[in-house]
């Protein structure tokens, strides 16, 4: 594992067609960006054009990839995609309309973040994926990395880098196309389990 600081620019994808109406997108690979989402992606790209990134990573979901493609045009970096940066999969709840969701009880002995709601992923599962991604970054040479992802995935990523475990996620969601700047020192700042 390398010793230097890694600077991250975390970008939430631009507005997608699925965000209209508040649907739960979760693990759905689509949908594509709206016209407004493309504008948001271009604004994020302009903000990051001169940041000096060494690498550009994106979730492999369409809405994130399309946002990353705009950033690639401004930075000249190739887009590297990975499923490790996907949004939390909500199983049978993916694609659901807000009015169709019914509250479920948390099973005894578990924290709400440890439940695989709808048969999808728990927050523990999302943390595990993001830890693997960070380990890959730590093993590489990049010191400034743009990460294009999603709402809940972004909350988990920022909380994890801050040393907070899965039970203490800060649910401060980025707006569509918003950029947040984070840093992490591999080996000195342990990622929570």
């Amino acid at each position: 594992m390398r010793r230097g600081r890694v600077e991250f620019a975390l970008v939430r994808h631009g507005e997608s067609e699925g965000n209209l109406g508040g649907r739960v997108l979760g693990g759905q690979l689509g949908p594509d960006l709206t016209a407004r989402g493309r504008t948001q992606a271009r604004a994020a790209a302009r903000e990051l054009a001169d940041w000096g990134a060494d690498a550009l990573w994106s979730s492999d979901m369409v809405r994130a990839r399309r946002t990353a493609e705009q950033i690639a045009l401004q930075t000249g970096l190739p887009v590297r995609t990975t499923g490790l940066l996907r949004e939390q999969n909500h199983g049978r709840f993916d694609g659901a309309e807000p009015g169709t969701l019914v509250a479920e009880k948390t099973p005894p002995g578990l924290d709400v973040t440890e439940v695989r709601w709808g048969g999808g992923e728990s927050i523990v599962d999302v943390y595990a994926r993001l830890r693997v991604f960070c380990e890959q970054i730590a093993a590489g040479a990049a010191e400034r990395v743009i990460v294009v992802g999603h709402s809940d995935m972004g909350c988990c990523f920022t909380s994890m880098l801050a040393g907070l475990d899965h039970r203490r996620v800060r649910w401060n969601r980025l707006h569509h196309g918003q950029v947040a700047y984070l840093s992490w020192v591999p080996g000195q700042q342990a990622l929570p389990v």
Side-chain angles (χ1 to χ4, degrees):
M1 191 177 278
R2 73 128 136 241
R3 297 191 183 269
R5 176 180 303 273
V6 179
E7 302 290 333
F8 290 104
L10 172 64
V11 184
R12 182 178 176 191
H13 64 80
E15 178 188 76
S16 76
E17 294 163 2
N19 295 125
L20 302 176
R23 276 191 338 188
V24 176
L25 295 181
Q28 294 186 326
L29 292 179
D32 208 339
L33 298 179
T34 63
R36 180 178 182 193
R38 289 188 294 276
T39 298
Q40 292 164 335
R42 287 190 295 272
R46 284 190 300 275
E47 180 176 338
L48 292 166
D50 297 321
W51 186 59
D54 303 308
L56 170 57
W57 283 91
S58 174
S59 158
D60 60 353
M61 297 176 141
V62 173
R63 53 200 185 269
R65 274 197 346 258
R66 295 286 187 258
T67 302
E69 288 166 1
Q70 292 299 316
I71 296 168
L73 291 173
Q74 289 289 325
T75 63
L77 294 168
V79 179
R80 298 175 186 176
T81 59
T82 177
L84 297 172
L85 297 173
R86 286 183 178 181
E87 181 62 293
Q88 180 183 10
N89 183 316
H90 300 293
R92 69 180 178 275
F93 299 135
D94 282 352
E97 301 286 335
T100 65
L101 297 173
V102 178
E104 295 182 2
K105 291 185 179 181
T106 302
L110 292 178
D111 185 76
V112 67
T113 62
E114 298 163 350
V115 179
R116 292 181 171 128
W117 300 107
E121 293 179 296
S122 68
I123 295 300
V124 173
D125 296 328
V126 176
Y127 261 58
R129 283 196 276 115
L130 294 174
R131 254 193 311 281
V132 171
F133 174 74
C134 286
E135 289 165 3
Q136 290 176 355
I137 295 300
E143 295 179 359
R144 284 191 153 195
V145 181
I146 299 170
V147 173
V148 183
H150 308 271
S151 174
D152 292 354
M153 166 259 140
C155 292
C156 291
F157 190 67
T158 57
S159 298
M160 187 178 72
L161 291 180
L164 302 175
D165 67 27
H166 65 275
R167 293 182 177 194
R168 298 187 302 148
V169 173
R170 292 181 188 147
W171 296 107
N172 302 323
R173 291 173 173 87
L174 296 176
H175 301 291
H176 291 112
Q178 185 177 353
V179 181
Y181 298 93
L182 314 161
S183 64
W184 174 53
V185 182
Q188 292 181 25
Q189 290 175 264
L191 299 176
V193 178

